[in-house]
Amino acid sequence: MVGVPDAKPNSAPSGSKDEEYLSCVIPKRIALFEAIKSEQISHRRSISGDPIKITLPDGTVKEGRKWETTPFDIAKEISKGLASNALISQVNGVLWDMSRALEGDCELKLFTFDSDEGRDTFWHSSAHILGQALEREYGCKLCIGPCTTRGEGFYYDAFYGELGLSEDHFKQIESVALKAVAEKQPFERIEVSRNQALEMFSENEFKIEIIKDLPEDKTITVYRCGPLVDLCRGPHIPNTSFAKAFACLKASSAYWRGNKDRESLQRVYGISYPDSKRLKEYIARIEEAKKYDHRLLGVKQELFFCHPLSPGSWFFLPHGGRIYNKLMDFIKAQYKERGYHEVFSPTMYNMQLWETSGHAANYKENMFVFEYVEKQEFGLKPMNCPGHCLMFEHRVRSYRVDGFAELPLRLADFGVLHRNEASGALTGLTRVRRFQQDDAHIFCRESQIKDEVMAVLDFVNYAYNIFGFTYELKLSTRPDKYLGDPETWDKAEAALTDALNQSGKPWEINKGDGAFYGPKIDISVSDALNRKFQCATLQLDFQLPSRFDLSYSAEDEAKRERPVMIHRAILGSVERMFAILLEHYKGKWPFWLSPRQAIVCPVSEKSQAYALKIRDQIHQAGYYVDVDTTDRKIQKKALGLWHKLSQHASGATKEHQRYNFYLFYRFGQFIERYEKLSWPSTTLYWLLVRRKPTQDSVILAQCMDIEFLGDPSVTGVSVRVRDKGDHSVMSMEDLLSFFKSETAAFH
């Protein structure tokens, strides 16, 4: 077992435990659970035995018995190894416990830890192991315990009264959790009525609230592992022994249901793996990630900061503003190529707009709402889509205007958005209250959906290849509760399927996980640290065009048709993408995005005029360049640079470290004196400049065990590219052309 670094292994803090609560609650729940389980087993035995057919993904058909055969039985028939490693199954598209009996003919899939389904289930079950440890050790009232939305690990929220958890408690929590793992406790499932659930959890007001909020016809399920009996929809792994490596990561405060006016809870985050090797690798990875936390790098590189007078809204300093603008310019340049029209819409609307869109009923608590004029309610926009619907409807639309196709109409908007996130949910630039996103909405005909989706996927691929991301695609289809008719949904899903197939990228189906207003394609990116993020958005929407009564004239001008609306973003929130890229590049910005692209270092005060001339030439060409006019000797400047560059990127906080190119103007043989320095491997470029009475010489090299090339008597620029032994000589004009080509290639 691997613990969390910085925890205090010798401390064993005590917390008040309500022994009376535990001695009453745990035996009562177990007794109720076992009684109901016994009844259900007896009932199923009385109706079981009919033969069923189980179809596997490869088309193989297995024979089984209704209410008897389980996915685990099928796994054993396939191979002993699969039976030992399968964590969860999928029956007719629904995730299913390995030990749960099959109820009829079905299509069956089996998943191990190497699949998303397997990992998510593994971590969800690990949350129950954590909950068991917390309840047994501290007598807390458990609230909710899911796997995290980022797909790495899990947490459990619980109410502890006055107790505040910290890393000092982790050793004891892990000890109790690993004891549960060693006991190989099976995860058992029962279905209960509303009244049975209310009786079972009568001492826990949080569970009671969840139960009462469930729809009347909702099937309520309860799971048991060891002494823990918990309200949960499941499914779960076969037993606790699979989670052999277990660690607590951090503890924090949370509010019940995210409402700051409700009870204050304690949240414990954890991680688990089937073996200690993978857990050690994960711990090493998160320790590595801490070095590149955007909140630290952003301050060190003077890019942005946050102030308590405006929580959740970040200040972007000049160099941060350069990157922010470059990201937007990058997208805007593609808008021109891809047929988008940039628009600008109001930041504030009368609440009537949000009532029409449905946000007032479903999203108001996440909006900034206030009384503005004549006692009317107004709200700051949390998204652009309702405003774009107003743009579409402000005049009569037709599929064709003056001989030109008006549809598809692609409206793009970088407007400022505000969302009233809970203070405890704010996380650097990744969760903010004020942000911009490369938001766009495409209004098109049903027959145009496929082509538009393919174009968006191509846009995503273009941008993410430049950023160096890998990404995954999932098609989320019609959920149980949806708007519109099944035929329209089927057509839309077929169009998305065709587009995904023609994209040439692998993809998966996420059955039943679409939005209620339309199917969507979920796009998750993986950065250099192998962390997953949701950035891009591609969603079909049948609801908003209907709510705003949008229409256009078809070929028969007397006939009005409803457009389909596609919500689309590539970067997503610019703030969030900024943070992801800063960590992805580990603080070393590529030349095209860098806010500090070059610095000129004159040898002495006599050289400064020429250094300023070089600076001006590069600046006028459109690059960010500075001049080091300090009175330090050039030897100290160079040695200072070398020592700073030898540090880690996270230490690259001052002066020349921040630049991609360095330009030295010198006399004599200074360069040769430093040829044998062991230069660190970085992404930085060095430009060394010298001037003789009758000639200029500029030497350019990229830092990678660098050696200084070029004959001092040769006029021009000698360029050596990293990992290549050859070099070429170019003029100052050629140097600027080189910069231009590097920028155009997004290097």
Side-chain angles (χ1 to χ4, degrees):
M1 197 285 296
V2 179
V4 177
D6 301 325
K8 300 176 181 178
N10 296 321
S11 60
S14 60
S16 58
K17 182 193 301 187
D18 191 340
E19 294 285 2
E20 184 178 350
Y21 170 79
L22 288 178
S23 63
C24 168
V25 167
I26 292 179
K28 168 197 164 184
R29 289 180 185 161
I30 290 175
L32 284 171
F33 184 95
E34 291 301 318
I36 296 170
K37 183 181 79 170
S38 179
E39 290 177 5
Q40 293 181 356
I41 289 175
S42 296
H43 173 68
R44 286 167 186 165
R45 283 175 178 167
S46 69
I47 60 174
S48 64
D50 292 341
I52 58 173
K53 295 185 182 297
I54 300 107
T55 305
L56 302 179
D58 64 358
T60 302
V61 177
K62 297 285 186 179
E63 300 291 334
R65 292 285 179 180
K66 186 177 182 180
W67 294 109
E68 289 182 12
T69 304
T70 67
F72 180 72
D73 294 330
I74 302 301
K76 284 193 296 183
E77 287 186 28
I78 297 172
S79 76
K80 185 177 179 180
L82 180 59
S84 300
N85 292 291
L87 299 175
I88 196 68
S89 69
Q90 189 180 74
V91 177
N92 293 333
V94 178
L95 289 178
W96 201 272
D97 300 291
M98 290 294 293
S99 59
R100 182 179 170 187
L102 301 172
E103 300 173 4
D105 294 343
C106 62
E107 294 180 356
L108 177 68
K109 293 181 180 179
L110 302 172
F111 300 104
T112 66
F113 187 81
D114 294 328
S115 66
D116 289 342
E117 292 84 355
R119 282 190 297 272
D120 286 348
T121 304
F122 187 93
W123 285 323
H124 179 198
S125 300
S126 297
H128 280 239
I129 298 172
L130 173 62
Q132 179 184 147
L134 296 173
E135 186 176 66
R136 291 177 66 179
E137 190 64 19
Y138 303 108
C140 58
K141 293 183 178 180
L142 298 176
C143 298
I144 59 169
C147 62
T148 60
T149 54
R150 274 182 59 174
E152 282 189 328
F154 49 90
Y155 67 84
Y156 218 119
D157 287 347
F159 180 74
Y160 297 81
E162 299 301 317
L163 175 65
L165 293 180
S166 69
E167 291 187 3
D168 294 336
H169 298 85
F170 287 177
K171 183 178 180 182
Q172 186 60 29
I173 295 170
E174 291 169 353
S175 175
V176 178
L178 288 170
K179 182 180 178 182
V181 171
E183 291 174 357
K184 199 175 181 179
Q185 300 166 355
F187 280 90
E188 300 175 287
R189 175 186 184 272
I190 60 171
E191 296 180 3
V192 299
S193 67
R194 178 179 291 268
N195 288 336
Q196 287 173 327
L198 290 171
E199 180 185 2
M200 190 175 287
F201 297 98
S202 58
E203 295 83 5
N204 186 325
E205 62 271 27
F206 303 101
K207 300 291 185 183
I208 293 296
E209 186 174 330
I210 293 173
I211 295 166
K212 289 183 175 180
D213 285 348
L214 293 173
E216 291 288 341
D217 59 348
K218 179 73 173 179
T219 299
I220 300 175
T221 55
V222 174
Y223 279 81
R224 178 187 174 189
C225 62
L228 178 71
V229 176
D230 204 359
L231 183 73
C232 181
R233 66 183 179 184
H236 285 285
I237 60 178
N239 61 68
T240 57
S241 70
F242 284 83
K244 292 180 175 61
F246 188 104
C248 295
L249 296 177
K250 66 176 181 177
S252 64
S253 297
Y255 292 112
W256 172 235
R257 296 199 155 177
N259 186 341
K260 63 179 175 27
D261 297 323
R262 296 296 304 273
E263 295 86 345
S264 180
L265 310 175
Q266 297 288 310
R267 175 175 294 179
V268 178
Y269 288 90
I271 186 68
S272 61
Y273 282 93
D275 57 76
S276 59
K277 180 177 181 289
R278 278 188 272 197
L279 179 57
K280 289 177 181 177
E281 290 171 350
Y282 174 82
I283 296 297
R285 198 162 66 243
I286 62 172
E287 288 303 306
E288 180 78 358
K290 286 178 183 179
K291 301 175 185 177
Y292 307 113
D293 189 315
H294 71 275
R295 291 166 292 187
L296 301 177
L297 288 181
V299 173
K300 288 179 179 179
Q301 295 188 4
E302 296 183 27
L303 303 176
F304 49 75
F305 71 93
C306 194
H307 196 281
L309 293 181
S310 187
S313 301
W314 287 72
F315 293 80
F316 281 83
L317 297 167
H319 290 103
R322 290 175 179 179
I323 298 170
Y324 201 105
N325 284 329
K326 282 187 176 187
L327 286 172
M328 291 201 297
D329 290 342
F330 168 67
I331 295 295
K332 289 180 180 182
Q334 286 300 303
Y335 283 165
K336 295 177 182 178
E337 298 290 330
R338 297 173 185 270
Y340 286 84
H341 306 284
E342 189 174 2
V343 297
F344 302 88
S345 55
T347 300
M348 179 176 62
Y349 292 91
N350 190 295
M351 284 304 293
Q352 291 180 13
L353 175 78
W354 307 110
E355 289 165 5
T356 301
S357 69
H359 290 92
N362 300 302
Y363 201 76
K364 189 174 182 179
E365 64 182 18
N366 298 110
M367 295 176 61
F368 288 100
V369 179
F370 50 91
E371 191 177 286
Y372 183 59
V373 177
E374 297 177 352
K375 298 185 178 180
Q376 296 183 65
E377 269 195 329
F378 279 71
L380 297 179
K381 66 179 178 183
M383 60 245 337
N384 289 306
C385 36
H388 289 183
C389 286
L390 295 183
M391 286 186 166
F392 186 92
E393 74 165 358
H394 93 282
R395 68 167 175 80
V396 175
R397 299 286 179 179
S398 174
Y399 85 103
R400 188 175 293 276
V401 176
D402 296 330
F404 296 96
E406 187 172 18
L407 297 182
L409 178 63
R410 308 180 189 97
L411 303 180
D413 195 333
F414 273 102
V416 175
L417 306 177
H418 292 85
R419 295 182 183 173
N420 189 12
E421 302 282 2
S423 58
L426 299 175
T427 311
L429 291 178
T430 61
R431 195 77 176 266
V432 295
R433 288 175 174 159
R434 184 269 185 204
F435 62 98
Q436 291 174 260
Q437 63 182 25
D438 61 331
D439 205 7
H441 296 94
I442 303 169
F443 298 90
C444 65
R445 311 179 76 175
E446 281 189 27
S447 61
Q448 297 170 327
I449 291 175
K450 174 185 170 183
D451 289 342
E452 289 305 303
V453 170
M454 287 182 63
V456 173
L457 291 176
D458 180 73
F459 198 167
V460 169
N461 190 61
Y462 172 81
Y464 287 3
N465 280 345
I466 286 173
F467 294 143
F469 291 149
T470 57
Y471 62 93
E472 297 176 354
L473 301 170
K474 290 186 178 181
L475 172 59
S476 296
T477 58
R478 183 172 70 239
D480 293 335
K481 295 184 178 180
Y482 60 92
L483 294 176
D485 60 89
E487 183 181 354
T488 301
W489 274 81
D490 290 343
K491 288 180 181 178
E493 289 175 6
L496 293 181
T497 299
D498 286 346
L500 285 166
N501 286 335
Q502 293 190 33
S503 72
K505 295 285 184 180
W507 60 279
E508 299 176 8
I509 286 186
N510 199 2
K511 192 171 182 179
D513 201 45
F516 67 93
Y517 50 78
K520 61 179 180 174
I521 295 176
D522 294 317
I523 305 164
S524 60
V525 304
S526 297
D527 69 359
L529 296 171
N530 202 30
R531 298 170 300 175
K532 289 186 178 181
F533 300 92
Q534 185 80 35
C535 299
T537 298
L538 203 171
Q539 298 182 344
L540 266 59
D541 191 344
F542 308 124
Q543 180 199 18
L544 280 184
S546 177
R547 295 184 75 102
F548 282 90
D549 195 24
L550 304 183
S551 63
Y552 63 91
S553 296
E555 286 83 347
D556 180 357
E557 293 187 2
K559 182 182 179 182
R560 306 292 295 176
E561 293 186 0
R562 185 85 67 206
V564 176
M565 188 176 186
I566 300 175
H567 302 257
R568 186 249 65 183
I570 307 299
L571 302 178
S573 159
V574 181
E575 281 77 358
R576 180 177 172 80
M577 180 58 77
F578 193 121
I580 292 170
L581 289 173
L582 180 52
E583 295 180 3
H584 175 59
Y585 294 132
K586 300 181 179 180
K588 298 184 287 188
W589 295 102
F591 181 67
W592 75 275
L593 262 182
S594 177
R596 303 172 174 93
Q597 293 170 303
I599 184 169
V600 182
C601 299
V603 165
S604 65
E605 187 176 348
K606 294 179 181 179
S607 310
Q608 286 187 11
Y610 183 65
L612 291 170
K613 178 182 175 182
I614 295 292
R615 188 274 314 270
D616 290 345
Q617 283 182 270
I618 297 175
H619 175 75
Q620 289 168 9
Y623 304 100
Y624 297 123
V625 58
D626 293 314
V627 176
D628 182 350
T629 56
T630 61
D631 59 1
R632 292 179 300 171
K633 291 184 178 180
I634 191 63
Q635 289 92 339
K636 289 185 178 180
K637 291 180 182 180
L639 287 174
L641 283 169
W642 181 79
H643 286 304
K644 289 174 183 175
L645 285 166
S646 296
Q647 300 171 10
H648 213 280
S650 60
T653 60
K654 295 181 180 180
E655 302 177 37
H656 311 99
Q657 292 168 281
R658 301 164 177 165
Y659 298 87
N660 293 72
F661 287 87
Y662 300 82
L663 297 95
F664 281 84
Y665 166 55
R666 57 91 169 159
F667 289 102
Q669 300 302 312
F670 160 71
I671 290 177
E672 287 77 2
R673 293 179 58 184
Y674 297 95
E675 284 182 351
K676 296 183 180 180
L677 284 176
S678 178
W679 295 89
S681 174
T682 74
T683 58
L684 302 176
Y685 290 85
W686 284 66
L687 222 110
L688 295 99
V689 182
R690 73 174 179 83
R691 186 186 183 193
K692 288 187 175 181
T694 59
Q695 64 181 30
D696 295 338
S697 176
V698 184
I699 305 174
L700 171 67
Q702 188 169 11
C703 243
M704 182 111 171
D705 294 327
I706 191 169
E707 58 181 299
F708 298 104
L709 304 171
D711 184 339
S713 65
V714 177
T715 301
V717 183
S718 181
V719 181
R720 177 187 173 186
V721 181
R722 183 176 58 187
D723 300 329
K724 294 183 179 180
D726 57 334
H727 68 280
S728 58
V729 177
M730 63 178 72
S731 64
M732 190 65 187
E733 181 181 346
D734 291 335
L735 172 64
L736 295 178
S737 178
F738 173 74
F739 276 10
K740 183 177 180 180
S741 66
E742 290 293 284
T743 302
F746 301 104
H747 289 168

